[in-house]
Amino acid sequence: MIKIHSSEITPEHVYLSRRQFLQGMGLVAGHALLTACGARTSPPPAGDSALPTSSATDELGNALTPFDAVTGYNNFYEFTLRKEGVARLTKDFVTEPWTVTVDGLVSQPRTFGMEELLKFTQEERVYRMRCVEAWAMVIPWQGFPLAQLLKAMEPLSSARYVQFETLYDPESMPGQKDKSFPWPYVEGLRLDEALHDLTLLSTGLYGQTLLPQNGAPLRLVVPWKYGFKSIKSIVKITLTEAQPTTLWMAAGPTEYGFWANVNPKVDHPRWSQATERRIGENKRVETLFFNGYADEVADLYPDLDKRSWYY
Ligand code: MTE
């Protein structure tokens, strides 16, 4: 497994500038800011294997989801449709060596070894993750903004979207033998969404290298969109002119669309999106517009009432 050295995780100035960014947006309550700044010495959240992290809450004061829940309750359809068995079934999934190809409408397509991607400054970001199935977690990720990689690749002016692909290998990912899904898992973002500072390529969580069940060695995290946009175990990133067709658009076009922005007022055809179950806690909480990141991302979507932004 690739090790992330602690010195590579969240230099304090990066962490603080993120807090200042949120504070500038009016998103950090004074109390939460104090908690977070003091959190380097705070006890880790409950859960046997919880590891110390630099924050005990998100910027809204929500407690972190325990490490055991983040790594023990997962969606990874390449292995199983069940959530509890993913850690066991992914135990032997080989993530080293690993390469990621960035191609399409960039000036110089390139294939990166994972060790090269780990040279981008790794920072910690505590984000809420809201699954379309109405459960949610609060996770301290490590990673780096996708924008840094994309800018280094010099997108051509014709590039409008970014398509992401998970590894296709039915021998090591037996769920891909189930022909009812159009494998590989594909996701997509509009280029400006992909370049947004909140959009992260994650390499770890809770201060340790990403485990296979969470999408090792590299997964996307887009906190204002439903969790299915946060594609795992990425091997390819392609800049395109046309909007990508994602796995979920192809598999369930009446239920899942391209945008998938979290909105408590637009229900899934089969269930309400008004509230969510926080995994590891015994309560339901109200779901927030854009998952609580509206001040930062609403500008990306003119005509906010347009219903289709939320599919
Ligand atoms: N990526 C791939 N390749 N395969 C998947 O099945 N599930 C998605 C997303 N990324 C999925 C995926 C869904 S529905 C969710 S909610 C999140 O991963 C879950 O991430 P987690 O298991 O790390 O909590």
Side-chain angles (χ1 to χ4, degrees), residues 8-11 14-15 18 121-125 141-145 148 197 200:
E8 289 174 319
I9 300 165
T10 326
V14 175
Y15 175 70
R18 162 84 183 134
T121 304
Q122 306 289 309
E123 50 182 289
E124 185 178 88
R125 301 275 184 100
W141 301 101
Q142 288 112 240
F144 57 98
Q148 288 182 10
D197 180 61
L200 202 68

Side-chain angles (χ1 to χ4, degrees), residues 105 158 160-163 239-245:
L105 301 172
S158 50
R160 293 188 55 222
Y161 293 90
V162 186
Q163 175 174 311
L239 282 82
T240 65
E241 190 164 359
Q243 182 178 294
T245 301

Side-chain angles (χ1 to χ4, degrees), residues 102-119:
V102 186
D103 64 6
L105 301 172
V106 292
S107 68
Q108 202 85 67
R110 240 196 94 178
T111 296
F112 293 85
M114 202 45 217
E115 63 290 346
E116 292 176 276
L117 296 177
L118 284 166
K119 287 188 185 141

